[in-house]
């Protein structure tokens, strides 16, 4: 057992010795991270630079893409360092910083998806009143709440976790730090810390899901009784949102199940995949899904890439 006063670092025990293949894994993970950063930054630039996309739906999408950058950056740099390291250790402050990033990323993601469902609800159910109901002030308030509540609540929780958990161990059986793994290392079971963690996690998730379910119930009622044009509008704008929500919920469920239940019978590779799913697939899935499905973004994106390619070609030939 490790005395609580001696814990200055955590060992991430889910990594395995890959020998010389670690350089291949490093290049694959680095390429994935660069692609995630590239496509999300590209879509953020497209939305910010084109006035025709300065509409509520695209502003909320921009917030979503910023969160994908935030969440992936909370994981990938440390993951890349650990892949090349001989011993996979992380200092206590950096571990708690990663816990904060992972938790706040998940909370912002769900709240952002909830706000986007509310925006679709107003656009489809109240098309004539949409502009008066979804004002610029309301947009600013919704985005502020989407970010400030998770950042502040997770900040308070991580501070409480770090100051009220006397640790008698330093081995985390994952490839990154998470709060429940740290709670399980406590010298004695701290029910208050565990309950606070559940409140922060499930309070945000279920609050957002109830809001999303309510919005889509209203949307479906309008679609069933409305015109064909209304149904087509709902399908074109709601399909990417529902796909994103389903993908993230599946990934978050994998993570919650792995954190709360004994997964020793599951192969190590599968455990790593399940724990990384919502932090890697969602930042990759969202820009691809929205970039391909929303015609405005797709058309502007193609024209931007073509113009840049043409400028580069002209510069090269002259």
């Amino acid at each position: 057992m490790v005395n609580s006063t001696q814990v200055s670092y955590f060992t991430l025990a889910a990594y395995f010795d890959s020998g010389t293949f670690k350089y291949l894994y490093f290049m694959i993970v680095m390429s994935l991270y660069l692609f995630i950063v590239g496509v999300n930054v590209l879509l953020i630039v497209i939305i910010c630079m084109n006035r025709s996309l300065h509409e509520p739906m695209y502003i909320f999408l921009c917030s979503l893409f910023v969160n994908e950058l935030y969440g992936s950056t909370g994981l990938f740099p440390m993951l890349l360092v650990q892949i090349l390291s001989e011993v996979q250790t992380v200092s206590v402050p950096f571990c708690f910083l990663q816990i904060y990033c992972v938790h706040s990323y998940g909370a912002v993601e769900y709240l952002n998806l909830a706000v986007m469902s509310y925006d679709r609800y107003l656009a489809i159910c109240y098309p004539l009143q949409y502009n008066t109901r979804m004002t610029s002030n309301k947009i600013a308030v919704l985005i502020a709440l989407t970010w400030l509540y998770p950042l502040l609540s997770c900040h308070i929780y991580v501070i409480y976790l770090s100051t009220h958990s006397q640790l008698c161990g330093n081995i985390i059986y994952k490839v990154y730090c998470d709060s429940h793994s740290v709670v399980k290392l406590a010298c004695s079971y701290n029910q208050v810390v565990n309950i606070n963690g559940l409140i922060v996690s499930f309070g945000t998730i279920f609050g957002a899901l109830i809001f999303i379910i309510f919005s889509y119930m209203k949307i479906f009622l309008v679609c069933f009784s409305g015109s064909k044009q209304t149904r087509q509008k709902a399908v074109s704008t709601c399909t990417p949102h529902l796909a994103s929500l389903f993908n993230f919920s599946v990934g978050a469920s994998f993570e919650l199940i792995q954190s709360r239940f004994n997964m020793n019978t599951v192969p190590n590779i599968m455990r790593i995949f399940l724990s990384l799913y919502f932090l890697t697939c969602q930042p990759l899935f969202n820009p691809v899904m929205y970039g391909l499905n929303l015609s405005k973004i797709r058309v502007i994106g193609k024209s931007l890439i073509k113009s840049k390619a043409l400028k580069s070609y002209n510069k090269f030939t002259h």
Side-chain angles (χ1 to χ4, degrees):
M1 298 288 281
V2 180
N3 188 277
S4 62
T5 57
Q6 297 175 334
V7 175
S8 59
Y9 66 90
F10 293 105
T11 299
L12 302 172
Y15 289 90
F16 56 91
D17 185 14
S18 55
T20 55
F21 283 103
K22 68 181 180 181
Y23 299 106
L24 174 63
Y25 296 146
F26 178 86
M27 292 304 298
I28 292 170
V29 174
M30 173 65 86
S31 300
L32 179 61
Y33 179 49
L34 291 176
F35 181 76
I36 288 171
V37 171
V39 292
N40 280 284
V41 168
L42 174 64
L43 291 174
I44 290 168
V45 169
I46 287 172
I47 292 170
C48 291
M49 298 295 289
N50 289 273
R51 286 190 172 275
S52 63
L53 297 180
H54 291 181
E55 300 173 9
M57 181 175 74
Y58 298 105
I59 294 171
F60 295 135
L61 265 179
C62 189
S63 173
L64 193 72
F65 297 144
V66 170
N67 192 47
E68 306 310 349
L69 289 175
Y70 171 64
S72 56
T73 302
L75 169 71
F76 278 97
M78 192 178 291
L79 189 65
L80 289 167
V81 169
Q82 299 298 342
I83 288 172
L84 292 181
S85 300
E86 295 296 327
V87 181
Q88 283 75 33
T89 59
V90 56
S91 66
V92 170
F94 271 103
C95 188
F96 281 110
L97 176 62
Q98 189 170 52
I99 290 171
Y100 173 75
C101 290
V102 169
H103 275 260
S104 54
Y105 160 73
V108 170
E109 191 79 3
Y110 262 118
L111 289 178
N112 214 129
L113 289 170
V115 167
M116 289 171 69
S117 71
Y118 173 68
D119 174 65
R120 291 301 83 208
Y121 156 68
L122 289 182
I124 294 166
C125 299
Y126 300 97
L128 300 179
Q129 304 169 36
Y130 178 71
N131 290 329
T132 56
R133 285 175 176 249
M134 186 59 75
T135 61
S136 57
N137 286 338
K138 182 177 277 189
I139 294 169
V141 169
L142 288 172
I143 290 178
L145 288 174
T146 297
W147 283 88
L148 291 179
Y149 170 72
L151 294 178
L152 290 174
S153 60
C154 290
H155 181 69
I156 293 168
Y157 170 68
V158 169
I159 290 175
Y160 190 86
L161 176 66
S162 63
T163 56
H164 289 77
S165 296
Q166 291 188 327
L167 305 178
C168 285
N170 69 336
I171 298 177
I172 294 175
Y173 294 94
K174 296 189 75 169
V175 293
Y176 65 90
C177 296
D178 76 295
S179 62
H180 195 65
S181 296
V182 173
V183 170
K184 289 191 286 189
L185 295 175
C187 300
S188 59
Y189 179 72
N190 192 329
Q191 190 173 6
V192 176
V193 171
N194 197 38
I195 289 173
N196 284 339
L198 288 171
I199 290 171
V200 171
S201 300
F202 287 98
T204 303
I205 292 170
F206 286 116
L209 283 178
I210 289 169
F211 201 74
I212 291 167
I213 291 168
F214 170 80
S215 297
Y216 273 100
M217 283 176 62
K218 295 288 188 180
I219 289 171
F220 291 146
L221 286 172
V222 170
C223 288
F224 283 127
S225 61
S227 64
K228 184 180 178 181
Q229 186 180 3
T230 302
R231 286 194 291 273
Q232 287 176 340
K233 180 181 179 182
V235 169
S236 64
T237 59
C238 293
T239 299
H241 179 263
L242 287 172
S244 176
L245 177 65
F246 177 77
N247 183 65
F248 188 70
S249 297
V250 169
S253 298
F254 286 159
E255 174 58 19
L256 288 171
I257 290 168
Q258 189 170 207
S259 297
R260 300 287 164 175
F261 297 97
N262 187 347
M263 302 287 285
N264 291 334
T265 56
V266 180
N268 190 43
I269 293 290
M270 181 59 69
R271 293 208 306 267
I272 292 173
F273 172 76
L274 294 178
S275 66
L276 291 176
Y277 184 90
F278 87 112
L279 287 167
T280 55
C281 289
Q282 189 73 356
L284 185 64
F285 180 86
N286 274 342
V288 172
M289 173 61 69
Y290 284 105
L292 292 175
N293 276 277
L294 297 181
S295 58
K296 272 191 175 182
I297 290 180
R298 188 171 65 248
V299 169
I300 293 172
K302 281 183 180 179
S303 64
L304 179 65
I305 292 170
K306 283 181 181 178
S307 65
K308 291 291 183 184
L310 185 62
K311 284 181 181 178
S312 299
Y313 174 77
N314 291 334
K315 187 176 181 182
F316 178 77
T317 54
H318 291 86

